[in-house]
Amino acid sequence: MRSIWNGAISFGLVSIPIKLVNATESHSISFRQIHVTDGGRVRYRKVCELDGEEVSQAEIGKGYEEADGSIIPITDEDLGQLPIATAKTIEIVSFVPADEIDPLQMDAAYYLAANGATAAKPYTLLREALKRSRKVAIAKFALRGRERLGMLRVVDDVIAMHGLLWPDEIRRPEGVAPETSVTVRDAELDLADALMATLGEVDISSLHDDYREALEEMIAAKAGGAYEPAEAVSEPAGGQVIDLMAALERSVQAAKASRGEGGAAAAAEADVTPIRRKPAAAPKAVGGKKSTASGSAAAKKTASGRKSTSAATRKTGSASAKSGGTKSTSASAKKTASAKKATPPRKRRSA
């Protein structure tokens, strides 16, 4: 593999000559811009603003634009003479546990290769020290005109370095989380745990880019003149998902079916258990006849209520008679007579 940077790892007083090699590569398919009418390629030409002439790549350099629009030329020699220790050195500043590194800081990945026979011994020493400590090294280095932060760790028998974003380059997730208050029930968490357990682990190396493969097949078919557009594949909807619990249950069933623990048809047609809710109270009837849906049970309850009411009435009347009902009547009569005496007689009008 071709190296993109040569320098050394500074490990205390130990210097390890290394070469930096890209650890990743892109397999995405790139497209060219074309003129739709005739299929001609559309190109961008680099033209100097002063003389209007096209400029080749060898004639293009760097420059810093001031606020007033003036350009200050910057050469590679100017950058190489900057008084920073990391210009040609990966300077290790500390060793920390790997879980202290926020994955949001991860950037491009590189392999560090020992540069020469003399570098083999210190290179192996650093690699084994990282293995035994179960830590990663935090380092500073300069690449492509700027100082960067890096993390060194062991991959198989090679030291790999991940470029890290500076802490102030990570944006805070303000306004990203849901603003509404949501309560997650234990039953929902239990189903989510069951789904995670059913999905289990996966071998990352077995995963591949389905979209890229389909795109390559389409390009090959078009090149051969035998391209026929295919209908988009859609998953069968199956039963209607009523709520979150139902969606989780369906997901667990589908995951089991994909692992051979149940038939796919059974998973598609599986009944969904909705969240149980208390039934709403039936509205009271206003006017009209009472519903006969309650049947004989309601009739028996009504008859029983009438008997209870009749018994209560007789009991109340008996108790009233025993407690002096006659006295109450006599007192009421005296009160009426007294009221009549208090009312003055009316005078007759003369004819």
Side-chain angles (χ1 to χ4, degrees):
M1 290 186 284
R2 186 174 63 87
S3 64
I4 61 172
W5 185 88
N6 292 339
I9 299 175
S10 175
F11 179 33
L13 298 178
V14 178
S15 181
I16 311 171
I18 56 98
K19 296 184 295 184
L20 198 67
V21 178
N22 277 322
T24 61
E25 59 185 0
S26 175
H27 289 168
S28 62
I29 298 175
S30 59
F31 298 99
R32 301 292 187 186
Q33 290 186 327
I34 63 171
H35 188 196
V36 177
T37 304
D38 54 17
R41 187 140 164 229
V42 177
R43 297 178 182 271
Y44 291 96
R45 301 188 178 188
K46 298 178 180 179
V47 178
C48 176
E49 290 183 350
L50 297 179
D51 56 20
E53 295 183 1
E54 187 175 351
V55 182
S56 65
Q57 187 63 37
E59 298 176 288
I60 297 176
K62 301 181 182 71
Y64 177 80
E65 185 177 2
E66 293 276 27
D68 59 358
S70 60
I71 303 295
I72 301 175
I74 304 295
T75 65
D76 292 337
E77 291 74 17
D78 295 333
L79 296 174
Q81 294 173 0
L82 289 175
I84 56 174
T86 58
K88 281 292 182 180
T89 304
I90 299 174
E91 182 183 0
I92 295 177
V93 296
S94 66
F95 293 87
V96 299
D99 57 6
E100 289 188 8
I101 304 300
D102 190 343
L104 283 174
Q105 288 186 257
M106 296 273 187
D107 201 359
Y110 309 93
Y111 289 135
L112 304 182
N115 194 2
T118 57
K121 178 72 173 180
Y123 183 95
T124 306
L125 173 64
L126 176 59
R127 183 191 68 196
E128 296 304 315
L130 288 171
K131 280 184 179 180
R132 190 167 71 172
S133 67
R134 296 184 180 179
K135 292 183 178 181
V136 296
I138 302 301
K140 294 171 66 177
F141 66 103
L143 182 65
R144 298 190 179 97
R146 60 184 290 249
E147 189 173 51
R148 302 167 185 260
L149 198 61
M151 178 191 76
L152 277 64
R153 69 185 184 97
V154 178
V155 177
D156 295 333
D157 288 331
V158 176
I159 299 175
M161 180 174 69
H162 295 269
L164 299 178
L165 299 175
W166 295 98
D168 60 357
E169 292 179 317
I170 304 298
R171 300 173 63 184
R172 295 188 60 81
E174 296 176 354
V176 179
E179 297 181 358
T180 56
S181 178
V182 178
T183 302
V184 178
R185 300 181 302 158
D186 289 340
E188 294 167 339
L189 283 174
D190 291 342
L191 273 176
D193 290 341
L195 177 58
M196 292 168 64
T198 305
L199 291 176
E201 299 179 357
V202 65
D203 183 7
I204 298 295
S205 62
S206 66
L207 303 179
H208 57 278
D209 189 348
D210 294 328
Y211 179 82
R212 179 172 61 87
E213 290 182 359
L215 189 57
E216 289 175 344
E217 291 176 1
M218 181 194 70
I219 293 173
K222 279 202 164 189
Y227 173 67
E228 293 183 2
E231 295 184 2
V233 179
S234 59
E235 293 290 335
Q240 182 182 3
V241 177
I242 301 174
D243 48 37
L244 180 59
M245 291 285 286
L248 288 170
E249 289 181 359
R250 289 290 306 275
S251 300
V252 172
Q253 293 163 359
K256 288 181 178 179
S258 66
R259 294 180 177 274
E261 299 179 19
E269 301 295 334
D271 293 334
V272 175
T273 303
I275 298 175
R276 293 184 178 180
R277 299 180 177 86
K278 293 182 178 180
K284 294 181 179 180
V286 179
K289 297 181 180 180
K290 294 184 179 180
S291 174
T292 58
S294 56
S296 59
K300 291 180 180 180
K301 187 174 182 181
T302 303
S304 176
R306 288 175 179 174
K307 291 180 180 180
S308 301
T309 304
S310 177
T313 303
R314 290 197 299 269
K315 187 175 182 181
T316 303
S318 176
S320 176
K322 290 181 180 180
S323 60
T326 307
K327 293 181 180 180
S328 298
T329 304
S330 176
S332 177
K334 289 180 179 180
K335 188 175 181 180
T336 303
S338 175
K340 289 182 178 180
K341 290 180 180 180
T343 303
R346 295 180 180 179
K347 294 182 180 181
R348 292 183 180 179
R349 295 179 181 180
S350 58

